[in-house]
Amino acid sequence: MTDPRLPLLAAIEKKILWLATWMIHNANHLRPSTDGLKVGGHQASSASLVTIMTALYGAVLRPEDRVAVKPHASPVFHAIQYLFGNQSREKLENFRGYKGAQSYPSRTKDADDVDFSTGSVGLGVAQTLFASLVQDYVRARGWGKDEPEGRMVALVGDAEMDEGNIFEALLEGWKHGLRNTWWIVDYNRQSLDAVVREGLWARFEAIFRNFGWDVVILKHGTLQRAAFAEPGGERLREWIDACPNQLYSALTFQGGAAWRKRLTDELGDQGPVTALIERRSDDELAALMANLGGHDLPSLLEAFEAARAHDRPVCFIAYTIKGFGLPLAGHKDNHAGLLTPTQMETLRAAMEVRQGREWDLFEGLPLPAAELKTFLKKVPFVQKGTRRHHAPAVDVPEALTVPAQPVMSTQQGFGLLLHEIAKSDSELARRIVTTSPDVTVSTNLGAWVNRRGLFAREEMADVFKAERIPSTYSWTFSPKGQHLELGIAEMNLFIMLSALGLSHSLFGERLLPIGTLYDPFIERGLDALNYACYQDARFIVAATPSGVTLAPEGGAHQSIATPLIGMAQDGLASFEPAFVDELATILNWSFAYLQRSGEAEPNETTWLRDAVGGSVYLRLSTRSIEQPKRAMAPALAEEIINGAYWLRKPGPNAQVVVAYTGAVAPEAIEAVGLMAEDRRDVGLLAITSADRLNAGWTAASRARERGLVHAKSHIERLLAGVPSHCGLVTVLDGHPATLAWLGSVHGHRTRTLGIEHFGQTGTIADLYRYHGIDAQAIIAAAETLVPGRPIRHLRMA
């Protein structure tokens, strides 16, 4: 019995192909160009997914499902949302323009209900896997059960499967018992530069089956399967299955006459096979040979709806033709190719679209507009409207209890602070979820995990505990656990944090994710970190140990550039506290900051956009230092959050101010104490966040340029009383450029100390002396910058 949806879906498929293609054509050929740049838009890559996306959005998907669209299929997504009424014509006409529909689907910049941003290939694919694990976590805790479980769906380009992070994610999914995940591979066998290697589908199939996935291969459409049932059809099937990718693409581009010649030459038998070929016109033969599974609505609907009957992960390998339905279909150069105006006019005629009606929803379709409107309104996917949830905020205490230890590191303090939270029965404690790439113990999360347990959908006992073997750590896995243990893959860590940090929007349940890793290995996951921030995922990343302070480990484990990453990464507030009471203040503030979603207007005191919120990066250290004995007054706490405070305020005759960040606090304090014996009014500025100081300063400067003459940032206020002749010496265990801009705030001469080259093995004293960030180096820099009386404490050369 024929599916009554098929004629409607076929009409919608035709309209989606037209709109996606026209959208790109309009951007490149019709919209005025002011800079002469090619706009681009990937007409061929979009076309290969039109049928698959029509089947999904028009029939298969439900409101609870979430989709990561192949980056180059962005125009198809926007066209579908336009048909649903979720996208405007204005934005389509401005595709790839300022504030128009985005080049690649974006949660934060598009208006049409994007589930997962895509663009950096492979990351959106892995995101669906980790989002599925987060859905399992949320539901295991008894949350979100008023909503049905959703499928996490990735539309994957076959060339995208070369990305290593996809395979790292597959391994993690296997470990955690992945469910409810579909990856649909657009197997068009063409990448940006080449035609995909022969037999790649078999490698994909083997890999997925080895990781416990079901694999569904959609190679032949209904036309082909019907032809195979005819006399001689089996030989045609064998020929198609053996045909090299390049030849299949070339014949597709050449059309029906080329197909006829090749098939007759290689299969013609003056019998059943010849008759099969001759029964079809050139157009019919071309349609038959292009009728691959990924372009056949009945085959797709059957496969997708069968997979909805279970929760196992499924990889669909859908054979498609790049550029399907367009004049450039199959050509190996079509990746960035654009239809010429002449080709577009030919397509317009074929689509029966009249000039001036290009954007009309139902122009040129064979069915009545009223019937199509009714169908689109009843599509399952749109029944709940916009599908983003708004989870209530979690209450945050006024302050966290600071561990009372006279000497400790910020890494140790971080573990103690989380352990204190773990002991409570607060909603804050219940909503925190931690994760780490096999460095849970060495980043001081062990005490938290002992209290809160590791997460797994099924309970697993701690064998050491069961065998009565003494161990510091009790590693019990259960659905109640609040720590997700990952393998050694920083990409997985940040994509997991991205998924956890979107739970409030995807699943309606607020989580407060904290991830830990070694600071030097942020660079290994930097693309995924950037991706997570671009999606506006909310999380805390505690990176420790940092800098050359990790002295015995050597240069490969000593981070230099991470403070600059913290400053440069949008959506991430970066802090590097020296003392644990600073860390407690920052961590407590962070829990609230993760949950903010206000307007982007800057705070008139700090000129930071704090109402918007974001994620947080804590750069911590293993160096134990003496802790100050002080009460955390509200004014001091505010300054710590804003980025800096005076540990020793300079006097009116100050010649030198030392500004430090993080673990070098003892050297800065020592240097100031020694210089104070020979110089008057020396100041000591404790910088807890170069990132927020700099952001506030640049925002206030921008505001003044726009006429708000009263705008003044936190750092401008702090340095306002420093005499103009005073020199600034900045120092940190990281790249000196992190603080080099401080001299530009009020024009003070500045000498910046830090780490510019790979480290060595040795003691902290050895390395600080080698890199020139010890107390003697600070004093020498001050003397060179602002000569005064000879300083007795300089070491002899």
Short mmCIF file of all heavy atoms in Angstrom, two decimals, residues 464-510:
data_model
loop_
_atom_site.label_atom_id
_atom_site.label_comp_id
_atom_site.label_asym_id
_atom_site.label_seq_id
_atom_site.Cartn_x
_atom_site.Cartn_y
_atom_site.Cartn_z
N PHE A 464 38.12 -3.64 44.62
CA PHE A 464 39.10 -3.50 45.70
C PHE A 464 38.40 -3.41 47.05
O PHE A 464 38.83 -4.01 48.04
CB PHE A 464 39.98 -2.27 45.46
CG PHE A 464 41.16 -2.53 44.57
CD1 PHE A 464 40.99 -2.85 43.23
CD2 PHE A 464 42.45 -2.47 45.07
CE1 PHE A 464 42.06 -3.10 42.41
CE2 PHE A 464 43.53 -2.72 44.25
CZ PHE A 464 43.35 -3.03 42.92
N LYS A 465 37.29 -2.66 47.08
CA LYS A 465 36.54 -2.52 48.32
C LYS A 465 35.90 -3.86 48.70
O LYS A 465 35.93 -4.26 49.87
CB LYS A 465 35.47 -1.44 48.15
CG LYS A 465 34.68 -1.15 49.42
CD LYS A 465 33.70 0.00 49.17
CE LYS A 465 32.91 0.32 50.43
NZ LYS A 465 31.95 1.43 50.19
N ALA A 466 35.34 -4.54 47.70
CA ALA A 466 34.70 -5.83 47.96
C ALA A 466 35.71 -6.87 48.46
O ALA A 466 35.38 -7.73 49.28
CB ALA A 466 34.01 -6.33 46.69
N GLU A 467 36.94 -6.77 47.98
CA GLU A 467 37.99 -7.70 48.41
C GLU A 467 38.73 -7.22 49.65
O GLU A 467 39.74 -7.80 50.03
CB GLU A 467 38.99 -7.90 47.25
CG GLU A 467 38.41 -8.58 46.02
CD GLU A 467 38.04 -10.02 46.29
OE1 GLU A 467 38.71 -10.65 47.13
OE2 GLU A 467 37.07 -10.51 45.67
N ARG A 468 38.24 -6.15 50.24
CA ARG A 468 38.81 -5.60 51.48
C ARG A 468 40.27 -5.19 51.31
O ARG A 468 41.10 -5.36 52.21
CB ARG A 468 38.66 -6.59 52.65
CG ARG A 468 37.23 -6.97 52.94
CD ARG A 468 37.12 -7.91 54.14
NE ARG A 468 35.75 -8.32 54.36
CZ ARG A 468 34.85 -7.60 55.05
NH1 ARG A 468 35.20 -6.44 55.57
NH2 ARG A 468 33.62 -8.05 55.20
N ILE A 469 40.60 -4.66 50.13
CA ILE A 469 41.95 -4.15 49.89
C ILE A 469 41.93 -2.65 50.20
O ILE A 469 41.14 -1.91 49.61
CB ILE A 469 42.38 -4.38 48.43
CG1 ILE A 469 42.38 -5.88 48.13
CG2 ILE A 469 43.76 -3.78 48.16
CD1 ILE A 469 42.62 -6.21 46.66
N PRO A 470 42.78 -2.18 51.11
CA PRO A 470 42.75 -0.76 51.46
C PRO A 470 43.05 0.13 50.25
O PRO A 470 43.93 -0.17 49.44
CB PRO A 470 43.86 -0.64 52.52
CG PRO A 470 44.04 -2.02 53.04
CD PRO A 470 43.76 -2.94 51.90
N SER A 471 42.28 1.19 50.10
CA SER A 471 42.47 2.15 49.01
C SER A 471 41.96 3.51 49.46
O SER A 471 40.97 3.60 50.20
CB SER A 471 41.73 1.70 47.75
OG SER A 471 41.79 2.71 46.76
N THR A 472 42.63 4.54 49.00
CA THR A 472 42.21 5.90 49.34
C THR A 472 40.88 6.24 48.68
O THR A 472 40.12 7.07 49.18
CB THR A 472 43.28 6.91 48.88
OG1 THR A 472 44.54 6.52 49.41
CG2 THR A 472 42.95 8.32 49.35
N TYR A 473 40.60 5.58 47.55
CA TYR A 473 39.45 5.98 46.76
C TYR A 473 38.43 4.86 46.67
O TYR A 473 38.77 3.69 46.46
CB TYR A 473 39.90 6.40 45.36
CG TYR A 473 40.91 7.51 45.43
CD1 TYR A 473 42.27 7.27 45.24
CD2 TYR A 473 40.51 8.80 45.76
CE1 TYR A 473 43.20 8.29 45.34
CE2 TYR A 473 41.43 9.83 45.87
CZ TYR A 473 42.78 9.57 45.66
OH TYR A 473 43.69 10.57 45.78
N SER A 474 37.17 5.23 46.84
CA SER A 474 36.06 4.30 46.72
C SER A 474 35.37 4.56 45.40
O SER A 474 34.63 5.53 45.25
CB SER A 474 35.07 4.50 47.88
OG SER A 474 33.96 3.66 47.74
N TRP A 475 35.62 3.70 44.40
CA TRP A 475 35.17 3.95 43.03
C TRP A 475 33.96 3.07 42.72
O TRP A 475 34.07 2.02 42.10
CB TRP A 475 36.30 3.69 42.05
CG TRP A 475 37.42 4.67 42.24
CD1 TRP A 475 38.35 4.68 43.23
CD2 TRP A 475 37.69 5.80 41.42
NE1 TRP A 475 39.19 5.75 43.09
CE2 TRP A 475 38.81 6.45 41.98
CE3 TRP A 475 37.10 6.33 40.27
CZ2 TRP A 475 39.35 7.62 41.42
CZ3 TRP A 475 37.65 7.48 39.72
CH2 TRP A 475 38.75 8.12 40.29
N THR A 476 32.81 3.53 43.14
CA THR A 476 31.57 2.81 42.91
C THR A 476 30.78 3.48 41.80
O THR A 476 30.52 4.68 41.85
CB THR A 476 30.71 2.77 44.19
OG1 THR A 476 31.47 2.13 45.23
CG2 THR A 476 29.42 2.01 43.96
N PHE A 477 30.42 2.71 40.78
CA PHE A 477 29.62 3.22 39.67
C PHE A 477 28.15 2.94 39.94
O PHE A 477 27.79 1.82 40.32
CB PHE A 477 30.02 2.54 38.35
CG PHE A 477 31.36 2.95 37.83
CD1 PHE A 477 32.52 2.34 38.31
CD2 PHE A 477 31.48 3.91 36.85
CE1 PHE A 477 33.77 2.69 37.81
CE2 PHE A 477 32.72 4.28 36.35
CZ PHE A 477 33.87 3.67 36.84
N SER A 478 27.29 3.93 39.68
CA SER A 478 25.86 3.72 39.84
C SER A 478 25.11 4.84 39.13
O SER A 478 25.70 5.88 38.79
CB SER A 478 25.48 3.72 41.33
OG SER A 478 25.43 5.05 41.83
N PRO A 479 23.80 4.67 38.92
CA PRO A 479 23.01 5.75 38.31
C PRO A 479 22.94 7.01 39.17
O PRO A 479 22.57 8.07 38.67
CB PRO A 479 21.62 5.12 38.17
CG PRO A 479 21.86 3.65 38.14
CD PRO A 479 23.03 3.43 39.06
N LYS A 480 23.33 6.89 40.45
CA LYS A 480 23.31 8.05 41.34
C LYS A 480 24.62 8.83 41.30
O LYS A 480 24.71 9.93 41.86
CB LYS A 480 23.03 7.61 42.78
CG LYS A 480 21.66 6.98 42.97
CD LYS A 480 21.47 6.54 44.42
CE LYS A 480 20.10 5.90 44.62
NZ LYS A 480 19.90 5.45 46.03
N GLY A 481 25.65 8.29 40.67
CA GLY A 481 26.95 8.94 40.67
C GLY A 481 26.93 10.29 39.96
O GLY A 481 26.12 10.54 39.05
N GLN A 482 27.86 11.16 40.35
CA GLN A 482 27.90 12.51 39.80
C GLN A 482 29.25 12.84 39.15
O GLN A 482 29.56 14.01 38.94
CB GLN A 482 27.59 13.54 40.89
CG GLN A 482 26.13 13.54 41.31
CD GLN A 482 25.83 14.56 42.39
OE1 GLN A 482 25.42 14.20 43.50
NE2 GLN A 482 26.03 15.83 42.11
N HIS A 483 30.01 11.80 38.82
CA HIS A 483 31.27 12.01 38.10
C HIS A 483 31.29 11.11 36.88
O HIS A 483 31.04 9.90 36.98
CB HIS A 483 32.47 11.70 38.99
CG HIS A 483 33.79 11.85 38.26
ND1 HIS A 483 34.33 13.08 37.98
CD2 HIS A 483 34.64 10.93 37.76
CE1 HIS A 483 35.48 12.90 37.32
NE2 HIS A 483 35.69 11.61 37.18
N LEU A 484 31.59 11.69 35.73
CA LEU A 484 31.68 10.95 34.48
C LEU A 484 33.16 10.78 34.14
O LEU A 484 33.82 11.75 33.77
CB LEU A 484 30.95 11.69 33.36
CG LEU A 484 29.42 11.72 33.52
CD1 LEU A 484 28.84 12.94 32.82
CD2 LEU A 484 28.81 10.46 32.97
N GLU A 485 33.65 9.57 34.28
CA GLU A 485 35.06 9.31 34.01
C GLU A 485 35.26 9.07 32.52
O GLU A 485 34.58 8.24 31.90
CB GLU A 485 35.52 8.09 34.81
CG GLU A 485 37.01 7.78 34.68
CD GLU A 485 37.91 8.83 35.32
OE1 GLU A 485 37.40 9.77 35.97
OE2 GLU A 485 39.14 8.72 35.15
N LEU A 486 36.19 9.81 31.92
CA LEU A 486 36.49 9.71 30.50
C LEU A 486 37.89 9.15 30.30
O LEU A 486 38.73 9.19 31.19
CB LEU A 486 36.40 11.09 29.83
CG LEU A 486 35.07 11.82 29.94
CD1 LEU A 486 35.19 13.22 29.35
CD2 LEU A 486 33.96 11.05 29.24
N GLY A 487 38.13 8.66 29.08
CA GLY A 487 39.47 8.26 28.70
C GLY A 487 40.33 9.47 28.40
O GLY A 487 39.89 10.61 28.46
N ILE A 488 41.59 9.20 28.05
CA ILE A 488 42.56 10.28 27.86
C ILE A 488 42.35 10.91 26.49
O ILE A 488 43.06 10.60 25.53
CB ILE A 488 44.01 9.76 28.00
CG1 ILE A 488 44.16 8.94 29.28
CG2 ILE A 488 44.99 10.93 28.02
CD1 ILE A 488 45.49 8.23 29.39
N ALA A 489 41.38 11.77 26.39
CA ALA A 489 41.10 12.47 25.13
C ALA A 489 40.46 13.81 25.47
O ALA A 489 39.28 13.88 25.84
CB ALA A 489 40.17 11.64 24.24
N GLU A 490 41.26 14.86 25.37
CA GLU A 490 40.78 16.19 25.77
C GLU A 490 39.65 16.69 24.87
O GLU A 490 38.80 17.46 25.31
CB GLU A 490 41.94 17.18 25.78
CG GLU A 490 42.88 17.05 26.97
CD GLU A 490 43.80 15.85 26.89
OE1 GLU A 490 43.91 15.25 25.79
OE2 GLU A 490 44.42 15.49 27.91
N MET A 491 39.63 16.26 23.60
CA MET A 491 38.50 16.62 22.74
C MET A 491 37.20 16.10 23.34
O MET A 491 36.19 16.81 23.39
CB MET A 491 38.71 16.06 21.34
CG MET A 491 39.88 16.66 20.58
SD MET A 491 39.62 18.37 20.10
CE MET A 491 38.47 18.17 18.75
N ASN A 492 37.21 14.86 23.80
CA ASN A 492 36.02 14.29 24.42
C ASN A 492 35.62 15.07 25.67
O ASN A 492 34.43 15.27 25.94
CB ASN A 492 36.25 12.83 24.78
CG ASN A 492 36.13 11.90 23.58
OD1 ASN A 492 35.65 12.30 22.53
ND2 ASN A 492 36.57 10.67 23.74
N LEU A 493 36.60 15.49 26.44
CA LEU A 493 36.29 16.25 27.65
C LEU A 493 35.49 17.50 27.31
O LEU A 493 34.43 17.77 27.90
CB LEU A 493 37.58 16.65 28.38
CG LEU A 493 37.36 17.66 29.51
CD1 LEU A 493 36.69 17.01 30.71
CD2 LEU A 493 38.68 18.31 29.93
N PHE A 494 35.97 18.27 26.35
CA PHE A 494 35.31 19.55 26.07
C PHE A 494 33.98 19.36 25.36
O PHE A 494 33.05 20.16 25.54
CB PHE A 494 36.24 20.46 25.28
CG PHE A 494 37.36 21.03 26.11
CD1 PHE A 494 38.69 20.77 25.79
CD2 PHE A 494 37.09 21.80 27.22
CE1 PHE A 494 39.72 21.28 26.56
CE2 PHE A 494 38.12 22.31 28.00
CZ PHE A 494 39.44 22.05 27.67
N ILE A 495 33.84 18.31 24.54
CA ILE A 495 32.54 18.08 23.92
C ILE A 495 31.55 17.56 24.97
O ILE A 495 30.36 17.89 24.94
CB ILE A 495 32.66 17.13 22.73
CG1 ILE A 495 33.63 17.69 21.69
CG2 ILE A 495 31.30 16.95 22.06
CD1 ILE A 495 33.89 16.78 20.50
N MET A 496 32.04 16.76 25.92
CA MET A 496 31.18 16.34 27.03
C MET A 496 30.74 17.55 27.85
O MET A 496 29.56 17.69 28.21
CB MET A 496 31.91 15.33 27.91
CG MET A 496 31.16 14.97 29.20
SD MET A 496 29.60 14.13 28.91
CE MET A 496 30.14 12.43 28.98
N LEU A 497 31.68 18.45 28.15
CA LEU A 497 31.32 19.67 28.88
C LEU A 497 30.31 20.50 28.09
O LEU A 497 29.41 21.11 28.66
CB LEU A 497 32.57 20.49 29.19
CG LEU A 497 33.48 19.96 30.28
CD1 LEU A 497 34.77 20.77 30.36
CD2 LEU A 497 32.77 19.96 31.64
N SER A 498 30.48 20.53 26.77
CA SER A 498 29.53 21.25 25.94
C SER A 498 28.13 20.66 26.08
O SER A 498 27.14 21.39 26.21
CB SER A 498 29.99 21.20 24.48
OG SER A 498 29.08 21.87 23.63
N ALA A 499 28.04 19.33 26.03
CA ALA A 499 26.74 18.68 26.15
C ALA A 499 26.15 18.88 27.54
O ALA A 499 24.95 19.18 27.68
CB ALA A 499 26.88 17.19 25.83
N LEU A 500 26.96 18.69 28.57
CA LEU A 500 26.48 18.92 29.93
C LEU A 500 26.04 20.36 30.12
O LEU A 500 25.04 20.65 30.78
CB LEU A 500 27.58 18.58 30.94
CG LEU A 500 27.95 17.10 31.08
CD1 LEU A 500 29.28 16.96 31.83
CD2 LEU A 500 26.85 16.33 31.81
N GLY A 501 26.79 21.27 29.52
CA GLY A 501 26.53 22.70 29.68
C GLY A 501 25.37 23.22 28.86
O GLY A 501 25.03 24.40 28.94
N LEU A 502 24.75 22.35 28.04
CA LEU A 502 23.53 22.72 27.31
C LEU A 502 22.31 21.96 27.82
O LEU A 502 21.22 22.09 27.26
CB LEU A 502 23.71 22.40 25.82
CG LEU A 502 24.69 23.29 25.05
CD1 LEU A 502 24.88 22.77 23.64
CD2 LEU A 502 24.22 24.74 25.03
N SER A 503 22.47 21.19 28.89
CA SER A 503 21.37 20.37 29.39
C SER A 503 20.14 21.19 29.73
O SER A 503 19.01 20.76 29.50
CB SER A 503 21.84 19.59 30.62
OG SER A 503 20.77 18.83 31.17
N HIS A 504 20.34 22.39 30.27
CA HIS A 504 19.19 23.22 30.64
C HIS A 504 18.34 23.56 29.43
O HIS A 504 17.11 23.66 29.53
CB HIS A 504 19.67 24.50 31.32
CG HIS A 504 20.57 25.33 30.49
ND1 HIS A 504 21.91 25.02 30.29
CD2 HIS A 504 20.36 26.46 29.75
CE1 HIS A 504 22.47 25.92 29.50
NE2 HIS A 504 21.55 26.79 29.15
N SER A 505 18.97 23.73 28.28
CA SER A 505 18.25 24.08 27.06
C SER A 505 17.74 22.85 26.32
O SER A 505 16.61 22.83 25.81
CB SER A 505 19.16 24.90 26.14
OG SER A 505 18.52 25.20 24.92
N LEU A 506 18.55 21.80 26.25
CA LEU A 506 18.18 20.60 25.51
C LEU A 506 17.16 19.75 26.24
O LEU A 506 16.22 19.22 25.64
CB LEU A 506 19.42 19.74 25.23
CG LEU A 506 20.51 20.35 24.36
CD1 LEU A 506 21.70 19.41 24.30
CD2 LEU A 506 19.99 20.64 22.96
N PHE A 507 17.34 19.61 27.57
CA PHE A 507 16.53 18.66 28.33
C PHE A 507 15.75 19.30 29.48
O PHE A 507 15.05 18.61 30.21
CB PHE A 507 17.42 17.54 28.88
CG PHE A 507 18.28 16.91 27.83
CD1 PHE A 507 19.67 16.94 27.91
CD2 PHE A 507 17.71 16.30 26.72
CE1 PHE A 507 20.46 16.37 26.93
CE2 PHE A 507 18.50 15.73 25.73
CZ PHE A 507 19.88 15.76 25.84
N GLY A 508 15.88 20.62 29.65
CA GLY A 508 15.11 21.31 30.67
C GLY A 508 15.59 21.08 32.09
O GLY A 508 14.85 21.35 33.04
N GLU A 509 16.82 20.60 32.25
CA GLU A 509 17.36 20.33 33.59
C GLU A 509 18.72 21.01 33.73
O GLU A 509 19.63 20.76 32.95
CB GLU A 509 17.49 18.83 33.83
CG GLU A 509 16.16 18.10 33.88
CD GLU A 509 15.28 18.52 35.07
OE1 GLU A 509 15.84 19.04 36.06
OE2 GLU A 509 14.06 18.31 35.00
N ARG A 510 18.84 21.83 34.74
CA ARG A 510 20.06 22.59 34.97
C ARG A 510 21.14 21.70 35.58
O ARG A 510 20.92 21.05 36.60
CB ARG A 510 19.78 23.75 35.92
CG ARG A 510 20.98 24.57 36.31
CD ARG A 510 21.42 25.50 35.20
NE ARG A 510 20.40 26.47 34.86
CZ ARG A 510 20.54 27.40 33.91
NH1 ARG A 510 21.67 27.45 33.22
NH2 ARG A 510 19.57 28.24 33.64
#
